[in-house]
Amino acid sequence: NKAASNNYLDIILIVLFCVGYFMFRIVKTAIKQQSEKSKISKSILEFNKSLKEFMLTQHDSTPVKILDEIKVKGFTPDTTTFNTMIDTYICSGKNSFVENTLELMGENDCSQDIITYNTLIKGKCREIDGSNSKDEVLEEAFLIQRKIEETGLKSNLITWNCLLDCTLKIRNLKKTEELIENMIRNRCEPDDITYGTLLKGVRYQRCFSKKLEILDLIKKLVASQPESRVEEKRALISAYFLCRKVYEATEIYQELKEEDFDQFTLRVLLKGFGEFKKLSNVIEIQERFDFDTYTFSYLLNALVKCGKACEAKKTIISNDQYSTVNCTIAIKGLSDQGFYDEAYEL
């Protein structure tokens, strides 16, 4: 019995060893395959990053030729490859190649993702600038957005921002309002680009009443947010200044918390208060905060616009900020205000 027991134990140990050995081989093979996939993935990723530069050197090369070149280099194109090709063709004004690239994308079993659709919408936005049928191009952009929903994908913030830019470029505020309502309905959180696009739209408008309409849309979008971030406050201040509502902009400024005063917000305030010659506000900001190099130039510009070019010169000297930009701002201000000797000295 004892001998039989030992034999069984030996058999069990041999079986366990064999199982362990085969498991080790399986895991090792899987790790090796994963490592090879990772290398290939990393390799195509690095190639995709340099693809745009490569394409720009291949003057008037068709998508087929570009694809052949990619395959000759030993790479299998993926969705990012085709997205980069589409973006490069759009940016270089070769829109006729975009449709062909989309066809090749399907032939190479690469599905279109949200980046593909956003790139196409961005292309329509660029196309609007030089088009004689802007409304038709806008409708094409919205057709692409509808296709996003039909394919089961979801429009993201980049989609909304591109479409907003399209509508504002052709001053179609009805479509702009529809987009804002869709963003609110889809709980899409706006960013600085969203607000920057809307503010750019205010500048596009020749009619003052239209500027006020966009201001109302900005207020509506801000009000829909669960909490008021510094981005919202900054956007409202900018919008009020653009619409000559200095009192409302000043009210928000006075309500800002200490942590809200980043360099971007300070630039908006200095630009606005300088534009409307609110010297007391400019001086208050100057005394309260420290500025980076870029914001410092905004301070000088605000002082000059308030008729205080000499103060701008003193500020440069006391802070030892003798950059070309800063000195140019002060010298022009001194000259315009009749302080020629001061300008010459600086």
Side-chain angles (χ1 to χ4, degrees):
N1 288 338
K2 189 175 180 181
S5 178
N6 287 335
N7 287 337
Y8 286 134
L9 186 61
D10 290 342
I11 291 167
I12 291 168
L13 288 172
I14 291 168
V15 170
L16 287 173
F17 173 78
C18 292
V19 170
Y21 175 74
F22 284 119
M23 287 295 292
F24 168 75
R25 291 299 299 269
I26 290 167
V27 170
K28 186 180 178 183
T29 304
I31 291 171
K32 187 178 178 182
Q33 288 174 345
Q34 187 62 37
S35 176
E36 287 172 356
K37 281 182 184 177
S38 179
K39 284 179 184 176
I40 293 167
S41 178
K42 187 177 179 183
S43 182
I44 188 66
L45 184 66
E46 288 171 355
F47 179 75
N48 284 337
K49 285 180 181 177
S50 61
L51 177 59
K52 190 166 190 173
E53 188 178 338
F54 166 72
M55 284 180 66
L56 292 172
T57 63
Q58 307 297 305
H59 301 294
D60 296 322
S61 283
T62 64
V64 174
K65 287 182 181 177
I66 293 291
L67 208 57
D68 287 342
E69 287 282 347
I70 291 169
K71 289 175 179 177
V72 164
K73 290 177 181 291
F75 297 107
T76 302
D78 59 9
T79 298
T80 305
T81 310
F82 286 102
N83 287 343
T84 306
M85 288 175 67
I86 292 166
D87 186 51
T88 307
Y89 283 134
I90 287 170
C91 290
S92 54
K94 298 173 182 174
N95 292 345
S96 57
F97 289 152
V98 171
E99 197 61 42
N100 191 202
T101 307
L102 289 169
E103 289 170 7
L104 288 170
M105 198 173 183
E107 290 171 13
N108 285 268
D109 297 323
C110 292
S111 57
Q112 296 176 19
D113 60 8
I114 189 64
I115 297 171
T116 315
Y117 291 113
N118 285 342
T119 304
L120 293 171
I121 293 172
K122 186 176 76 171
K124 293 300 173 187
C125 196
R126 290 173 67 96
E127 196 179 325
I128 278 177
D129 292 329
S131 175
N132 294 322
S133 51
K134 298 181 187 294
D135 288 321
E136 288 178 20
V137 178
L138 179 63
E139 188 53 40
E140 287 169 9
F142 274 94
L143 281 171
I144 295 168
Q145 193 266 337
R146 284 196 283 275
K147 197 171 180 182
I148 293 174
E149 309 299 331
E150 288 168 6
T151 54
L153 295 170
K154 191 173 181 181
S155 299
N156 61 16
L157 185 56
I158 297 171
T159 317
W160 300 118
N161 286 344
C162 289
L163 288 169
L164 276 174
D165 198 21
C166 288
T167 61
L168 290 164
K169 275 185 176 181
I170 67 170
R171 303 184 180 90
N172 189 332
L173 297 190
K174 185 179 178 183
K175 285 285 189 184
T176 305
E177 186 174 5
E178 286 175 15
L179 283 170
I180 295 293
E181 287 173 356
N182 278 331
M183 286 181 72
I184 293 169
R185 197 178 304 116
N186 286 278
R187 296 179 182 177
C188 188
E189 188 178 278
D191 61 1
D192 276 330
I193 295 174
T194 314
Y195 291 120
T197 302
L198 287 164
L199 292 169
K200 192 166 60 173
V202 176
R203 298 185 189 97
Y204 284 147
Q205 304 304 317
R206 300 189 187 96
C207 177
F208 188 70
S209 64
K210 296 293 183 184
K211 291 178 184 286
L212 294 178
E213 280 184 45
I214 299 176
L215 170 61
D216 287 338
L217 291 176
I218 293 172
K219 287 162 69 176
K220 187 175 184 178
L221 188 57
V222 168
S224 71
Q225 300 309 303
E227 57 180 355
S228 184
R229 304 167 300 162
V230 66
E231 288 89 343
E232 275 76 38
K233 296 169 187 175
R234 186 164 57 233
L236 276 176
I237 291 170
S238 297
Y240 280 132
F241 277 135
L242 285 170
C243 294
R244 304 183 179 280
K245 292 182 173 287
V246 185
Y247 176 78
E248 288 84 349
T250 307
E251 272 192 327
I252 299 176
Y253 159 62
Q254 290 168 346
E255 291 169 4
L256 290 174
K257 298 173 185 175
E258 200 66 27
E259 60 268 22
D260 292 332
F261 288 100
D262 57 20
Q263 294 298 312
F264 296 108
T265 306
L266 291 172
R267 290 169 202 163
V268 167
L269 290 165
L270 288 168
K271 184 179 179 181
F273 287 136
E275 198 73 43
F276 291 98
K277 298 178 173 51
K278 298 293 180 180
L279 180 62
S280 60
N281 295 117
V282 173
I283 296 297
E284 183 184 6
I285 291 170
Q286 181 183 9
E287 291 172 351
R288 281 182 66 187
F289 303 105
D290 295 322
F291 308 114
D292 64 16
T293 306
Y294 195 39
T295 311
F296 190 82
S297 299
Y298 273 76
L299 169 64
L300 298 176
N301 207 34
L303 289 169
V304 167
K305 286 192 173 182
C306 290
K308 295 291 180 180
C310 289
E311 183 61 35
K313 179 190 171 187
K314 288 178 188 174
T315 305
I316 289 173
I317 295 168
S318 62
N319 288 275
D320 195 27
Q321 292 282 347
Y322 293 96
S323 73
T324 306
V325 172
N326 292 343
C327 290
T328 302
I329 291 169
I331 289 167
K332 185 177 185 306
L334 289 164
S335 301
D336 290 344
Q337 292 168 29
F339 299 103
Y340 304 114
D341 291 340
E342 296 273 358
Y344 182 76
E345 182 188 355
L346 185 58

